[in-house]
């Protein structure tokens, strides 16, 4: 009596192999997305009333996706050194970021040096959020203006300002 060897069904093996490859790829994608902090959501500790609707969650284009904290109790940020506006004060590429490693909300104010008025003020920007383009409250005269960006670190529990950083900036108006 001869025994017949059973052969695995080739189609079943192929389907299961493809399914395993898809699951591995999906798991790797989710792992890397959470590793760089761009999960697409604001952490619950930073979900406060008054988050800026213009803020986008994730890493801005051109910024490192795996950025590490500069140290404990330090507040990091990213902002353009030059911002160019249209003559009507619109479309300025401030490109301000509150990196994912920060433990504070951020509020941004832009002023022209020698002028006390605030040209732009954001609402709260949570860690792992950024704002690309801004519009001025009032247009400036065409040309170049020296300015300052004030970046306030805000405690998410009390909404108290814990510190303010100043960053010089060149404001260009076409």
């Amino acid at each position: 009596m001869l025994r017949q060897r059973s052969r695995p069904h080739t189609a079943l093996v192929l389907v299961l192999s493809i399914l395993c490859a898809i699951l591995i790829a999906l798991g790797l994608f989710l792992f890397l997305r959470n590793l760089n902090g761009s999960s697409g959501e604001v952490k619950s500790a930073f979900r406060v009333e008054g988050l800026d609707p213009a803020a986008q969650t994730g890493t801005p284009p051109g910024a490192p996706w795996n950025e590490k904290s500069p140290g404990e109790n330090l507040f990091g940020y990213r902002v353009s050194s030059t911002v160019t506006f249209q003559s009507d004060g619109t479309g300025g590429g401030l490109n301000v970021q509150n990196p994912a490693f920060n433990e504070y909300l951020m509020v941004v104010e832009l002023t022209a040096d020698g002028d006390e008025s605030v040209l732009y003020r954001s609402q709260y920007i949570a860690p792992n959020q950024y704002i690309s383009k801004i519009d001025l409250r009032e247009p400036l005269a065409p040309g170049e203006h020296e300015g300052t960006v004030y970046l306030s670190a805000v405690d998410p529990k009390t909404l108290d300002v814990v510190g303010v950083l100043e960053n010089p900036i060149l404001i260009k108006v076409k």
Side-chain angles (χ1 to χ4, degrees), residues 92-163:
L94 187 61
N95 299 315
V96 63
Q97 178 193 13
N98 188 354
F101 57 75
N102 278 336
E103 297 180 20
Y104 296 105
L105 297 166
M106 181 168 69
V107 174
V108 178
E109 293 181 344
L110 172 64
T111 63
D113 292 352
D115 184 359
E116 303 246 346
S117 64
V118 175
L119 300 171
Y120 168 79
R121 178 179 290 131
S122 73
Q123 294 179 45
Y124 298 121
I125 303 169
N128 195 36
Q129 287 193 315
Y130 66 97
I131 295 177
S132 296
K133 301 275 185 196
I134 65 167
D135 296 335
L136 299 177
R137 290 179 175 179
E138 297 290 327
L140 292 172
E144 294 185 355
H145 308 269
E146 296 292 324
T148 303
V149 175
Y150 296 94
L151 303 126
S152 300
V154 178
D155 185 309
K157 293 177 185 166
T158 64
L159 300 181
D160 291 334
V161 174
V162 295

Side-chain angles (χ1 to χ4, degrees), residues 1-173:
M1 198 177 199
L2 289 176
R3 251 180 158 181
Q4 208 175 23
R5 275 192 174 166
S6 64
R7 296 173 116 200
H9 298 294
T10 308
L12 179 62
V13 170
L14 183 62
V15 168
L16 290 176
S17 296
I18 291 172
L19 182 63
C20 285
I22 290 171
L23 290 174
I24 290 171
L26 179 64
L28 185 60
F29 169 76
L30 292 173
F31 172 76
L32 291 176
R33 186 177 76 163
N34 287 332
L35 181 67
N36 73 17
S38 63
S39 65
E41 291 186 17
V42 173
K43 290 181 182 176
S44 61
F46 302 108
R47 290 185 196 146
V48 298
E49 189 173 326
L51 283 177
D52 199 310
Q56 299 175 44
T57 303
T59 305
W65 62 270
N66 60 349
E67 192 168 29
K68 302 292 183 214
S69 173
E72 191 174 327
N73 297 324
L74 295 177
F75 184 77
Y77 66 91
R78 180 171 280 106
V79 67
S80 296
S81 60
T82 302
V83 61
T84 303
F85 293 93
Q86 301 298 319
S87 61
D88 63 356
T90 61
L94 187 61
N95 299 315
V96 63
Q97 178 193 13
N98 188 354
F101 57 75
N102 278 336
E103 297 180 20
Y104 296 105
L105 297 166
M106 181 168 69
V107 174
V108 178
E109 293 181 344
L110 172 64
T111 63
D113 292 352
D115 184 359
E116 303 246 346
S117 64
V118 175
L119 300 171
Y120 168 79
R121 178 179 290 131
S122 73
Q123 294 179 45
Y124 298 121
I125 303 169
N128 195 36
Q129 287 193 315
Y130 66 97
I131 295 177
S132 296
K133 301 275 185 196
I134 65 167
D135 296 335
L136 299 177
R137 290 179 175 179
E138 297 290 327
L140 292 172
E144 294 185 355
H145 308 269
E146 296 292 324
T148 303
V149 175
Y150 296 94
L151 303 126
S152 300
V154 178
D155 185 309
K157 293 177 185 166
T158 64
L159 300 181
D160 291 334
V161 174
V162 295
V164 179
L165 301 168
E166 297 180 19
N167 192 84
I169 192 167
L170 179 62
I171 303 168
K172 294 182 179 181
V173 180

